[in-house]
Amino acid sequence: MWFNLVTAGLALLMATACATHVQTTSGADYLARYDGSYTPAAGAVASEVDVQVRQIAAVEPDIRFPARIGLARIERGHLAAIPEREGEAWAALAQQLDGLYGEFVPVSPLIAAMVAPENDKPRYSYTAADTIAEIRRGAARQHLDYVLAYEVSTSNRSKGSALSFADLTVIGMFVLPGRNVEAEAAASGILIDVRNGYPYATLTAFADKKGLSRTINSWQVRQEMMKDASAKAVLELAGELRSALEQLAVKAHSIKPVSAENAAAGS
């Protein structure tokens, strides 16, 4: 029953975009402009930041479909299993797309743990970069092409702000300027290339109060409402992902495939 409702809801949510940004810019083009605008004085040595900028920018988009697209849920700053209701939202998206862009595969926390470096730092001290690295390693072992890393949080009423979502610790939120948001939950994600870390899209979606209101008279009821709100936010995020994939599929035709030599040169 829930799956049927999710499938029907997903069709409605496609037209209600929250916030999506797609990127397919070229690192080579960016650095060409960098070289043309940066002329250090005679004998000057490039600063550490200059070197870092060049290394960071030297990455090319390589978006191709069909693909194996990973789904990585972050909870409390770490890769976690996808809850059942959220999994049904992603399954509904896969059913609607019917292999148009490939297949969706959950990134396994167990597999990610199996391929963690032996000298990896304790998980309690992970930074956002460590968590994304953990996801990319697990996705690589599962031979995934791209991965959507996402977080979900319910609103923090104690702070008195509609945008106080305390659990979005890694991805954060991308909100359009001037947008007035009242929500019970938020989901935010980033679609990245597993091989080179290229960020193809940032997504944010919100679950409003409509359809979630009922008398909260017990801890159990509150927990169920939080699950409903989180699942609804992921349902909207699935709609945002579909929109991003549609845009990327169009752009993919104008992107030159990255050769092994170019990939090695940029790494």
Side-chain angles (χ1 to χ4, degrees):
M1 179 65 177
W2 168 257
F3 183 85
N4 292 336
L5 291 174
V6 167
T7 305
L10 189 59
L12 293 175
L13 290 168
M14 298 307 172
T16 57
C18 290
T20 300
H21 176 72
V22 169
Q23 174 182 336
T24 56
T25 51
S26 165
D29 291 347
Y30 179 86
L31 288 174
R33 290 186 59 192
Y34 187 104
D35 292 337
S37 62
Y38 178 71
T39 53
V45 178
S47 70
E48 183 179 357
V49 174
D50 289 326
V51 174
Q52 290 174 348
V53 166
R54 288 175 179 272
Q55 293 175 339
I56 292 168
V59 61
E60 297 294 329
D62 187 22
I63 192 79
R64 311 183 199 184
F65 298 108
R68 284 171 56 82
I69 303 170
L71 300 169
R73 190 184 197 277
I74 298 172
E75 183 175 346
R76 297 179 181 178
H78 301 292
L79 176 63
I82 297 176
E84 181 181 1
R85 294 182 190 177
E86 293 180 18
E88 290 172 352
W90 294 121
L93 175 63
Q95 183 183 67
Q96 283 204 345
L97 294 176
D98 192 25
L100 180 61
Y101 302 111
E103 59 181 315
F104 296 95
V105 182
V107 178
S108 167
L110 178 59
I111 291 176
M114 289 171 55
V115 296
E118 292 185 4
N119 59 348
D120 195 23
K121 65 174 68 173
R123 292 194 55 161
Y124 63 79
S125 64
Y126 265 26
T127 63
D130 294 325
T131 302
I132 296 299
E134 175 189 26
I135 290 170
R136 286 181 63 191
R137 285 193 297 262
R141 177 52 60 90
Q142 292 180 251
H143 294 168
L144 303 178
D145 299 299
Y146 317 110
V147 61
L148 177 74
Y150 76 97
E151 289 183 289
V152 185
S153 178
T154 52
S155 59
N156 186 341
R157 296 176 182 273
S158 65
K159 293 186 178 180
S161 169
L163 291 178
S164 295
F165 296 96
D167 296 334
L168 296 174
T169 57
V170 176
I171 306 299
M173 287 191 293
F174 170 62
V175 184
L176 295 177
R179 187 180 181 90
N180 210 4
V181 178
E182 291 186 7
E184 289 293 312
S188 193
I190 182 170
L191 182 68
I192 59 177
D193 196 305
V194 174
R195 298 177 183 86
N196 62 14
Y198 190 99
Y200 292 107
T202 53
L203 321 166
T204 297
F206 300 96
D208 59 27
K209 298 178 181 180
K210 190 179 299 184
L212 296 173
S213 300
R214 56 181 154 159
T215 304
I216 301 177
N217 52 16
S218 70
W219 179 86
Q220 183 176 2
V221 172
R222 281 197 295 271
Q223 292 299 109
E224 286 301 309
M225 282 194 67
M226 288 172 62
K227 291 179 182 178
D228 289 344
S230 295
K232 189 175 180 184
V234 170
L235 180 63
E236 296 218 24
L237 192 70
E240 292 298 299
L241 178 58
R242 175 171 180 169
S243 175
L245 292 176
E246 289 173 350
Q247 296 178 58
L248 289 168
V250 172
K251 293 176 177 292
H253 295 292
S254 61
I255 296 175
K256 296 179 180 179
V258 178
S259 67
E261 291 181 1
N262 290 339
S267 62

